[in-house]
Amino acid sequence: SFSNYGKNSVDLFAPGIHIKTTATFNKYEENRGTSLAAAVVSGTAALLRSHYPSLSASQVKQILLDSGISHNIDVRVFQADDSKKMVPFSELSKSGKIVNAYNALLMAEKMVKDK
């Protein structure tokens, strides 16, 4: 209910609930939100660029989109009138996937070696 979705506005999903994050007073807490999900994707992009600095930004983006995990499930989305509708997960973003750092590293390795 707190997330954005749509093929024209979201490229890829990332975990955004039950995320351990830093908190005040030198502690950690479990939190949720799109800000935490964005950090997962940007951290994965940074991981790729640090290991494979020859990759361009567009190559990193394509790797992130292509290497994600697909799920063949329907998801309940809220409509403008507060009703709910079941929609295939694959229809909720451009890639229809959730970011996967391991797969992204494997794909980056292959891309760099194939040059």
Side-chain angles (χ1 to χ4, degrees):
S1 63
F2 64 87
S3 185
N4 297 318
Y5 60 90
K7 285 189 176 275
N8 294 325
S9 57
V10 175
D11 288 335
L12 174 77
F13 286 106
I17 59 171
H18 305 298
I19 304 294
K20 290 282 189 184
T21 187
T22 54
T24 56
F25 304 109
N26 216 13
K27 295 184 179 180
Y28 293 93
E29 66 184 18
E30 191 173 278
N31 215 322
R32 69 180 197 150
T34 54
S35 297
L36 294 170
V40 172
V41 177
S42 59
T44 303
L47 181 66
L48 293 178
R49 289 295 293 266
S50 70
H51 281 277
Y52 305 102
S54 65
L55 291 174
S56 68
S58 62
Q59 286 173 312
V60 169
K61 179 180 178 180
Q62 198 59 53
I63 289 168
L64 292 174
L65 295 176
D66 293 344
S67 65
I69 300 292
S70 299
H71 292 282
N72 188 21
I73 60 171
D74 289 337
V75 178
R76 182 179 56 229
V77 297
F78 292 90
Q79 304 298 295
D81 64 359
D82 282 338
S83 66
K84 299 170 191 162
K85 178 180 175 184
M86 297 303 284
V87 177
F89 181 78
S90 62
E91 297 299 314
L92 297 177
S93 70
K94 181 177 182 176
S95 69
K97 297 178 180 179
I98 298 174
V99 69
N100 184 287
Y102 178 74
N103 287 350
L105 284 168
L106 293 177
M107 191 173 282
E109 175 75 18
K110 183 175 180 349
M111 185 179 283
V112 169
K113 282 187 175 180
D114 288 348
K115 279 188 174 182

